[in-house]
Structures are given as C-alpha cells and as structure tokens.
Amino acid sequence: MTSPASSAAPKPTKDPWDLPDVSGLTVGVLGGTGDQGRGLAYRLARAGQQVIIGSRAAERAQQAADELGHGVEGAENAECARRSDIVIVAVPWDGHAKTLEALREDLRGKLVVDCVNPLGFDKKGAYALKPEEGSAAQQAEALLPESRVTAAFHHLSAVLLSDPEVEEIETDVMVLGEVRADCETVQALAERIPGMRGVFAGRLRNAHQVESLVANLISVNRRYKAHAGVRLTDI
Ligand SMILES: NC(=O)c1ccc[n+]([C@@H]2O[C@H](COP(=O)([O-])OP(=O)(O)OC[C@H]3O[C@@H](n4cnc5c(N)ncnc54)[C@H](OP(=O)(O)O)[C@@H]3O)[C@@H](O)[C@H]2O)c1
C-alpha cells in the first residue's frame, strides 16, 4: 500500500536547461526577405536547420533563398507556413494583423514565434507603441486561436545575424508563451545559433515589456555605435 507520505512526495523537478532536440524541425520565416527574417534564416540554416523563407511574392522569397544558400528554400507566405513546423513572424508591425489573419488556416496547429516589436519613431527617436491587445504577441494569440503562439528573438541585431564574419552572437533570447513545452522548443531553436541562450521569460501577457525594450536598445546602439543585445545574469 502506498503511504500518504510517499504519495505526497514532490515530483522531481525538470532541469530548466534540459531542452528538446529541434534539429529535425523545419523553420519558416514569414517576411523572411527583410533584414530580421533574412538574418534569422541565415543563422539557423548555417547551423544546419531546414529553413523556408516566406514572402508575399514567391519570386522574392526564391531570390532571397538563393542568395542565402545553406539549403534555404523560398515560398509564398502561405506555403511557407504550411510546410513548416515552427513559423517565425518577421513582418513589420504595420502588416502584422493583416498577415496573420490571412494565414489563420495555414498556421493551424503550428508553433508560431512572434518577434515583432511595435515601435514608433519621431524626432526624439524610437518609442514603444501600445497595441490594443497588449502586445504584438497577444495580437497573434487572438488572431490565431488554433496555433501555439510564443514570442522570442526581439532583441537581436539583424546586422550581426547577417554578417558571415560573425561566428558567435553572445546574447540571451527571452522566450515567452503559455505552454512550457512550446517555449522549450523555441529556447532550443535559439540555442542552435552559436553564442545564444534561450531563456524562459514568462507568459504572453508580459510580452509588451520585452517588445518595448527594443526602443531602449535602439537608444543604446545610437549612443555607443553598437549592436547591443541582452544578457540575463545569475541564471
Ligand atoms: N531589423 C531588426 O534588427 C529587428 C530585430 C528584432 C525584431 N525585428 C522585428 O522583425 C520584424 C521585421 O523587421 P525587418 O527590419 O526585417 O522589417 P522589413 O525589412 O521592413 O520587413 C520584412 C519583410 O516583411 C514584408 N512586408 C513588408 N511590409 C509588409 C506588410 N505590410 N505586410 C506583410 N508583409 C510585409 C516584406 O517582405 P515581402 O515584400 O517579400 O513580403 C519585408 O521584406 C519587425 O516587426 C521588427 O520589429 C527586427
């Protein structure tokens, strides 16, 4: 008979750094012809990941894929979404809602990674916008009820990502989401890129701060002429 004490024994806690093997997953990048999407596609493909660049125009996607090499493929956004296991959203904030609404069916069941930073710019510099839903990631969650939405890769420099001379990008990638296993998959994806560490950073209701921090990083970059990233200490 099981004693009350043994049945109440705490479950062994999982090591938070124990992440799944994601090397066999195909990663699609919506808006992958742009600076951020192209940079992420390049880094992931260089690490051996199968990557499909998405675009509103198949020819533009194919051209970007040909330029990147490393087995990167190109497709129109909807096909890119359908053929991928993980889909990174790397379109401008202006086109975010419209793009996701149109791809709802293609993104059904997919692990979506939103890296969009809603920012405004004026003569004082960059500032955070306040989306009605709370954040770009929460807008994605609202528009894609049948997808698994996470948020990550907000603080990366597209310049560093795309520079073939840069071997390692020393930075942490804050990953947010509602389902721990989905976050771990995205953390593992970040860690495919040398120098990067994927760190769980909470639920999507706290994505706004993470997206907004880019306005501060832009100020840092202007002041110090740098491509600053983020490191979290004591973990
Ligand atoms: N740049 C960075 O360093 C950086 C870093 C972290 C996060 N981000 C985030 O990543 C996202 C992309 O940034 P980016 O600098 O790569 O932007 P971008 O170059 O302006 O746009 C990316 C791609 O999105 C597509 N696109 C443009 N307007 C669109 C619209 N209205 N609707 C749908 N698709 C549209 C275009 O591809 P097609 O014309 O081929 O469809 C374009 O090449 C942004 O939301 C940004 O906040 C950027």
Side-chain angles (χ1 to χ4, degrees):
M1 203 177 93
T2 317
S3 73
S6 65
S7 65
K11 278 195 217 155
T13 48
K14 189 173 167 280
D15 179 348
W17 300 114
D18 183 11
L19 300 174
D21 176 9
V22 295
S23 58
L25 301 181
T26 297
V27 179
V29 188
L30 306 177
T33 55
D35 293 341
Q36 167 76 347
R38 194 184 275 254
L40 277 170
Y42 170 65
R43 282 292 150 182
L44 290 169
R46 183 168 137 157
Q49 204 76 35
Q50 183 58 50
V51 178
I52 306 173
I53 289 234
S55 165
R56 289 168 296 180
E59 318 79 70
R60 279 202 295 279
Q62 191 55 55
Q63 192 186 336
D66 292 344
E67 285 164 13
L68 289 180
H70 294 282
V72 175
E73 295 176 72
E76 193 263 330
N77 278 332
E79 187 189 332
C80 164
R82 283 195 300 275
R83 287 178 53 204
S84 302
D85 303 299
I86 303 177
V87 182
I88 299 174
V89 184
V91 299
W93 168 239
D94 278 358
H96 186 255
K98 205 171 150 212
T99 301
L100 297 185
E101 261 165 17
L103 297 175
R104 186 173 294 166
E105 285 305 310
D106 308 289
L107 289 168
R108 185 195 289 259
K110 305 290 180 179
L111 177 49
V112 172
V113 189
D114 206 297
C115 73
V116 171
N117 303 308
L119 294 180
F121 294 87
D122 62 17
K123 59 181 187 322
K124 292 183 182 174
Y127 61 95
L129 300 175
K130 294 194 178 97
E132 204 182 302
E133 298 82 354
S135 61
Q138 286 167 292
Q139 184 181 79
E141 186 186 32
L143 293 171
L144 305 172
E146 291 180 79
S147 303
R148 294 138 58 207
V149 176
T150 62
F153 301 122
H154 307 87
H155 306 141
L156 304 182
S157 154
V159 174
L160 294 183
L161 288 171
S162 296
D163 184 345
E165 301 295 317
V166 175
E167 295 288 335
E168 295 197 0
I169 302 179
E170 292 291 338
T171 192
D172 284 341
V173 173
M174 296 170 80
V175 180
L176 297 93
E178 300 303 311
V179 178
R180 195 59 63 83
D182 291 339
C183 292
E184 287 173 354
T185 299
V186 179
Q187 289 170 255
L189 187 67
E191 297 201 356
R192 297 278 285 152
I193 302 176
M196 283 192 200
R197 187 173 65 155
V199 179
F200 173 71
R203 291 181 181 268
L204 295 181
R205 67 180 181 177
N206 283 316
H208 174 64
Q209 301 87 282
V210 174
E211 294 170 4
S212 303
L213 186 64
V214 174
N216 304 83
L217 288 178
I218 290 171
S219 301
V220 171
N221 289 339
R222 286 187 180 165
R223 182 80 177 97
Y224 298 98
K225 304 201 184 331
H227 303 293
V230 168
R231 268 292 190 217
L232 300 164
T233 59
D234 199 32
I235 50 167

